[in-house]
Amino acid sequence: MSLYGMMSTGASGMNAQANRLSTVADNIANANTTGYKKASVEFSSLVLPGTNSSYNSGAVQTDVRYAISQPGTLAFTTSTTDLAIDGDGFFIVQDSNGVPFLTRAGSFVPDGDGNLVNAAGYTLLGYDYESGVPAPVVNGFDGLVPVNISSGSLAANASTLGIFSANLDAGKDIVAAADLPSTNSATAEYSHKSSLVAYDNLGGEVLLDFYYTKSGANTWEVTVYDRAGATPGTSFPYAAGALLQTETLTFDPLNKGLLAAASPTDIALTVPGGAALTVDLSEMTQLDYAFTVQKGDVNGNAPSAVTDVVISEDGTIYAKQENGELKPLYRIALASVSSPDKLRPLAGNVYQQGVDSGVITTGFAGSSGFGKIVSSALESSNVDMAQELTDMIASQRSYTANSKVFQTGSDLMDVLVNLKR
């Protein structure tokens, strides 16, 4: 029995070292593979019960482990769609059948349809901005769509929201009702004037003239006209239909010149050729100081071709248009598990949830323990070539030693078989 056990133990030792050499071979072959995580073999003994007078040789068992949680160094590139994660987390990708996987391999390039695809053919997933600012589905992949960087080309958006904040000079004289801008008479007077650019449904610019006129003690009339209907050189009177909206603001002199509680806080109008526009006026003040504009902005944009893609640290993908504006398209989702080293590796540098890896949770870069996304960078393999060559030599010697044990057992078995001769 001892000779058979000796040979079996030697065979198990050779098999264990063969497994170790296999991981070394894989690691060396993938030393330059983006996002590759090295494999290693851990050994454990298998002891068989014996007695004081006899020993039953056991064997050695192997357990393959993957250093998935160990990051590789970042190598910077010239492509903005090359992505790396500086910290914890995985990109969420899908194959051609729509099955989601996790990966750290971020060598993404647009395919023929504009979808970002990595070197293994997996498509990057994220949340779309079409329905507003996205929020992650923490416990699943619902809501994720392929990231397509061509979706923002020549996009024109009508203005729907705006904001204007300024101080109206409390020392201005009150204008008579017959001369207010809302009368649209040639004798119209006003206290202050400003203009905002809005966009119609086709992305055309529409200039809106805002008149702020003191109509009474602590009351101001806000009147909006379409600049296209202005009389050249004087503005008033505007052409018929140019008056878009009039609103009266009331200020509280006992509350730092802010709007009174009962006062309107916005003005709503329809942009000529465009959509309904609401301009927020809630931050207006009336103080004894010159007319001063603090803020003025209107959403929407003119049609403009996409010239580049910009990806921020929080994973937001912007389309950079030729007019210099940045339009958010997607936000990249990241995933994590409590035990990354227990994920199940598959071909193409992707991972699936394992039995002991824990539940997959999703989120955004820079929040909830996720790392930040680095654009124009790739995570290198975490393989240490010097260590792998050392392991290869050690494994080769161990394999040879185990083969000597097996050979010795075989020779002794021949002696035992030939005892009668």
Side-chain angles (χ1 to χ4, degrees):
M1 183 64 184
S2 295
L3 290 180
Y4 285 113
M6 174 185 177
M7 296 173 65
S8 177
T9 300
S12 74
M14 287 189 289
N15 184 63
Q17 295 302 327
N19 286 342
R20 186 183 183 189
L21 283 169
S22 295
T23 62
V24 169
D26 250 358
N27 292 341
I28 292 175
N30 288 280
N32 296 315
T33 301
T34 299
Y36 176 78
K37 302 302 181 180
K38 68 178 182 180
S40 62
V41 172
E42 295 295 327
F43 300 95
S44 61
S45 62
L46 176 62
V47 178
L48 299 180
T51 65
N52 291 334
S53 60
S54 66
Y55 180 82
N56 293 327
S57 58
V60 59
Q61 294 179 316
T62 57
D63 178 37
V64 180
R65 299 182 179 180
Y66 297 89
I68 299 174
S69 61
Q70 180 182 334
T73 58
L74 298 188
F76 291 90
T77 70
T78 57
S79 174
T80 57
T81 58
D82 281 339
L83 304 175
I85 302 173
D86 185 9
D88 295 333
F90 298 86
F91 297 112
I92 303 173
V93 296
Q94 70 177 20
D95 62 10
S96 57
N97 296 320
V99 179
F101 299 93
L102 310 184
T103 187
R104 297 275 291 195
S107 55
F108 297 105
V109 294
D111 63 7
D113 297 323
N115 297 322
L116 288 184
V117 179
N118 69 8
Y122 291 92
T123 303
L124 179 65
L125 300 181
Y127 294 102
D128 201 335
Y129 266 85
E130 280 191 358
S131 301
V133 179
V137 178
V138 177
N139 62 342
F141 300 130
D142 294 334
L144 291 172
V145 296
V147 173
N148 189 298
I149 62 173
S150 66
S151 58
S153 299
L154 289 177
N157 295 293
S159 298
T160 57
L161 296 173
I163 185 171
F164 189 83
S165 172
N167 177 67
L168 305 179
D169 188 354
K172 286 291 185 178
D173 294 333
I174 296 175
V175 175
D179 295 327
L180 291 173
S182 58
T183 63
N184 195 21
S185 64
T187 60
E189 299 178 19
Y190 56 89
S191 305
H192 309 295
K193 178 184 178 182
S194 63
S195 299
L196 291 174
V197 176
Y199 298 92
D200 62 21
N201 292 328
L202 300 180
E205 292 187 356
V206 179
L207 282 174
L208 305 178
D209 289 338
F210 283 71
Y211 293 94
Y212 303 91
T213 311
K214 191 172 184 180
S215 57
N218 303 313
T219 60
W220 290 73
E221 179 189 84
V222 182
T223 309
V224 184
Y225 279 94
D226 178 8
R227 172 76 65 84
T231 299
T234 62
S235 293
F236 289 101
Y238 282 80
L243 175 60
L244 302 179
Q245 189 57 275
T246 298
E247 194 65 78
T248 300
L249 304 181
T250 304
F251 292 89
D252 185 354
L254 301 179
N255 186 25
K256 303 178 181 179
L258 300 176
L259 287 173
S263 173
T265 57
D266 57 46
I267 185 168
L269 55 99
T270 299
V271 177
L277 170 66
T278 300
V279 181
D280 183 3
L281 303 175
S282 61
E283 298 180 17
M284 298 288 290
T285 60
Q286 179 202 237
L287 299 172
D288 193 9
Y289 191 80
F291 177 67
T292 307
V293 177
Q294 283 93 29
K295 188 186 301 182
D297 191 26
V298 175
N299 69 352
N301 63 273
S304 182
V306 174
T307 60
D308 199 3
V309 173
V310 178
I311 304 175
S312 65
E313 290 184 354
D314 66 0
T316 303
I317 300 178
Y318 297 91
K320 185 177 182 180
Q321 298 174 323
E322 60 186 0
N323 60 6
E325 292 186 2
L326 295 177
K327 177 187 176 183
L329 300 177
Y330 298 89
R331 191 165 182 186
I332 299 171
L334 297 184
S336 69
V337 293
S338 56
S339 182
D341 291 342
K342 293 295 184 179
L343 287 169
R344 187 160 66 94
L346 300 172
N349 257 357
V350 296
Y351 307 98
Q352 278 187 330
Q353 181 179 341
V355 175
D356 300 319
S357 65
V359 177
I360 295 175
T361 59
T362 60
F364 291 135
S367 64
S368 302
F370 291 103
K372 66 180 181 180
I373 291 179
V374 183
S375 179
S376 299
L378 294 173
E379 182 181 356
S380 302
S381 165
N382 62 2
V383 172
D384 183 345
M385 285 293 290
Q387 183 63 51
E388 297 303 319
L389 293 174
T390 301
D391 290 345
M392 181 172 62
I393 295 172
S395 184
Q396 180 185 12
R397 290 177 177 174
S398 295
Y399 190 96
T400 302
N402 278 282
S403 69
K404 292 295 185 183
V405 172
F406 185 90
Q407 186 176 7
T408 300
S410 178
D411 292 343
L412 292 175
M413 185 66 69
D414 286 341
V415 172
L416 181 63
V417 171
N418 294 321
L419 281 177
K420 289 185 66 175
R421 296 181 181 178

